[in-house]
Amino acid sequence: MSSFFVFMLIIILLLVVITLLWLCYRNKRQRKSQTDRRQRKMADIAQALQTSPADVAALRRMAISEGGLLTDEIRCQVWPRLLNVPPNILEQEPETVERDNNKDYNQVLLDVQRSLRRFPPGMPDEQREGLQEELIDIILRVLKRNPQLHYYQGYHDIVVTFLLVVGERLATALVEKLSTHHLRDFMDPTMDNTKHILNYLMPIIERVNPEVHDFMQQAEVGTVFALSWLITWFGHVLSDFRHVVRLYDFFLACHPLMPIYFAAVIVLHREEEVLECECDMAMVHHLLSQIPQDLPYETLISRAGDLFVQFPPSELAREAASHDCMATTTFKDFDLASTQQRPDSVLHRRRRQLQQQQQQQQEALERSAVARPSVTRRFVRLAVMGLTVALGAAALAVVNTALEWAPKLDLFP
């Protein structure tokens, strides 16, 4: 019995080693595939930038697709194209900003002083303080050039993102264009248009998940929990700067109302948490306002794009309110001025391509299943057979412990 036990243990350990080796090989192959995709994407972006004029439709596709624009160096080149900002803007010397007797200066100063967490951890105080001064100048400069715009708390969270990625000069131009189009509603003297945009949230949720919608309605939680998400483009509530700039890639390539679609998919993603929460306004508001930091961002971005195509703003406008919001109307002019393909057309095409890819993958899997079982499944089946015959639950614990040392990959794709 002792010899048989040793023999079976050796067999099990061999199977575990083989499985680990296979996982390592697959992990290495996946890393190589990811590197290859990244390099191809960078080459495609470079090609789109080199055409005359730049292929903005292609750049939008790159910004929307998985991984976004990849690096801040690329964003410095692509973000101006997405916002139709001329490339020679860096040649212009930014004008001096007068701070004395400026009606917005005191509030801007207070908000900027509270923005320490928006700067990279470990940044020297002198460098951070210099960037904060530039941040104040950008905000006051944009407001001076556009007296119809009104500063709001949270605006600085958007501006600091552009400052950290593209620098003061380019950030000034990009933020000014953004403020007169995508952010236009938030910069009115009242919050009427901002509330109007928030009113799109519940109709989107209702279309997708009536149960969550009805629960939130019963709790009377409203939509204020998503206000800071919307007016800062999630810059204020996300701690990882990589996630913030990834979302900015997506939002800059899309319709101004896309952030509210992204807010909706966050709520829908948390369906179980919401429905398990006590149906009380304060409890539900507290739950939803605490946004998780470990969200599956690429999945949510993809889903938000799909929902925008399925339920466009024009379909939801009557439920949201009876009047048009400024961002939507100004975006029509902005889109025409860019003389390029509309973002919603890009999303439509992307959705069709994803459906085709999924169909092709499904057909390939079916052919593979008919032809031969996968190597991984054979390893697992052999291991299970050996474990069942010899050692039962004790041996299963050995294998499970060994697999914990393996790369975190899905054994059953």
Side-chain angles (χ1 to χ4, degrees), residues 28-319:
K28 182 178 179 181
R29 189 170 61 181
Q30 285 183 345
R31 287 199 303 269
K32 184 178 185 303
S33 176
Q34 291 172 353
T35 301
D36 291 343
R37 287 199 304 270
R38 182 182 177 90
Q39 291 175 346
R40 284 197 302 270
K41 189 171 192 179
M42 294 179 75
D44 291 340
I45 293 173
Q47 183 178 355
L49 286 168
Q50 290 169 2
T51 60
S52 183
D55 188 349
V56 178
L59 295 176
R60 280 176 171 162
R61 289 197 298 273
M62 303 299 170
I64 292 170
S65 62
E66 184 177 355
L69 295 175
L70 302 176
T71 70
D72 286 351
E73 290 74 16
I74 293 176
R75 292 183 177 99
C76 288
Q77 301 178 68
V78 176
W79 281 5
R81 304 292 187 180
L82 297 179
L83 287 175
N84 197 33
V85 171
N88 63 349
I89 199 70
L90 291 177
E91 301 171 5
Q92 302 175 11
E93 187 72 26
E95 69 269 27
T96 304
V97 179
E98 185 66 41
R99 297 186 178 186
D100 294 337
N101 300 320
N102 188 304
K103 64 181 179 64
D104 297 303
Y105 172 66
N106 289 332
Q107 185 61 57
V108 172
L109 178 63
L110 288 173
D111 290 344
V112 170
Q113 288 176 340
R114 290 193 291 256
S115 65
L116 297 182
R117 59 182 290 274
R118 292 303 318 280
F119 293 90
M123 175 179 283
D125 290 343
E126 184 178 352
Q127 182 183 0
R128 175 185 51 75
E129 290 169 1
L131 287 171
Q132 286 179 307
E133 290 299 311
E134 292 178 3
L135 177 57
I136 294 172
D137 285 343
I138 294 172
I139 294 172
L140 296 181
R141 192 175 293 127
V142 171
L143 295 174
K144 179 184 176 182
R145 293 177 184 175
N146 302 272
Q148 77 278 14
L149 301 179
H150 295 76
Y151 178 77
Y152 64 89
Q153 287 183 279
Y155 183 69
H156 70 288
D157 283 301
I158 289 182
V159 180
V160 72
T161 302
F162 284 91
L163 173 62
L164 291 173
V165 173
V166 303
E168 181 182 6
R169 288 195 184 184
L170 189 51
T172 301
L174 298 182
V175 168
E176 183 172 11
K177 177 59 72 73
L178 202 68
S179 301
T180 55
H181 293 88
H182 294 64
L183 306 179
R184 181 63 183 83
D185 291 301
F186 311 143
M187 307 194 74
D188 272 351
T190 70
M191 291 189 64
D192 289 346
N193 277 332
T194 301
K195 294 175 183 176
H196 169 60
I197 295 177
L198 282 170
N199 286 344
Y200 281 84
L201 181 66
M202 296 306 290
I204 298 170
I205 294 173
E206 183 179 22
R207 293 290 200 286
V208 180
N209 194 323
E211 184 180 6
V212 171
H213 171 270
D214 294 345
F215 179 87
M216 293 174 65
Q217 290 286 78
Q218 185 177 350
E220 299 181 346
V221 67
T223 58
V224 177
F225 66 86
L227 177 62
S228 63
W229 307 355
L230 182 66
I231 65 176
T232 68
W233 276 14
F234 297 85
H236 182 73
V237 293
L238 297 182
S239 57
D240 194 324
F241 192 70
R242 295 174 305 162
H243 299 151
V244 175
V245 294
R246 173 65 187 101
L247 288 180
Y248 277 43
D249 292 341
F250 179 50
F251 295 154
L252 288 171
C254 294
H255 191 280
L257 293 182
M258 186 57 78
I260 202 66
Y261 284 81
F262 192 79
V265 299
I266 289 178
V267 176
L268 293 166
H269 174 71
R270 303 179 69 189
E271 172 189 357
E272 291 186 9
E273 292 178 81
V274 173
L275 296 179
E276 290 174 1
C277 182
E278 182 180 345
C279 191
D280 171 76
M281 186 272 286
M283 297 291 290
V284 179
H285 176 87
H286 177 74
L287 171 70
L288 291 174
S289 60
Q290 303 298 312
I291 188 170
Q293 297 297 311
D294 59 346
L295 294 169
Y297 291 95
E298 293 299 336
T299 300
L300 297 183
I301 286 171
S302 177
R303 193 177 184 193
D306 290 343
L307 291 184
F308 182 88
V309 174
Q310 288 179 272
F311 314 114
S314 58
E315 181 180 319
L316 306 174
R318 181 174 298 179
E319 296 173 60

Side-chain angles (χ1 to χ4, degrees), residues 56-62 64-65 253-254 309 340-353:
V56 178
L59 295 176
R60 280 176 171 162
R61 289 197 298 273
M62 303 299 170
I64 292 170
S65 62
C254 294
V309 174
Q340 297 291 341
Q341 186 175 352
R342 292 177 57 82
D344 51 348
S345 299
V346 173
L347 290 170
H348 274 292
R349 180 190 300 177
R350 173 183 164 280
R351 190 179 180 208
R352 288 195 299 269
Q353 290 173 343

Side-chain angles (χ1 to χ4, degrees), residues 9-44:
L9 185 60
I10 291 173
I11 293 297
I12 293 167
L13 291 175
L14 284 174
L15 290 173
V16 170
V17 170
I18 293 172
T19 304
L20 291 174
L21 289 174
W22 167 250
L23 291 173
C24 290
Y25 167 74
R26 197 175 77 169
N27 192 21
K28 182 178 179 181
R29 189 170 61 181
Q30 285 183 345
R31 287 199 303 269
K32 184 178 185 303
S33 176
Q34 291 172 353
T35 301
D36 291 343
R37 287 199 304 270
R38 182 182 177 90
Q39 291 175 346
R40 284 197 302 270
K41 189 171 192 179
M42 294 179 75
D44 291 340

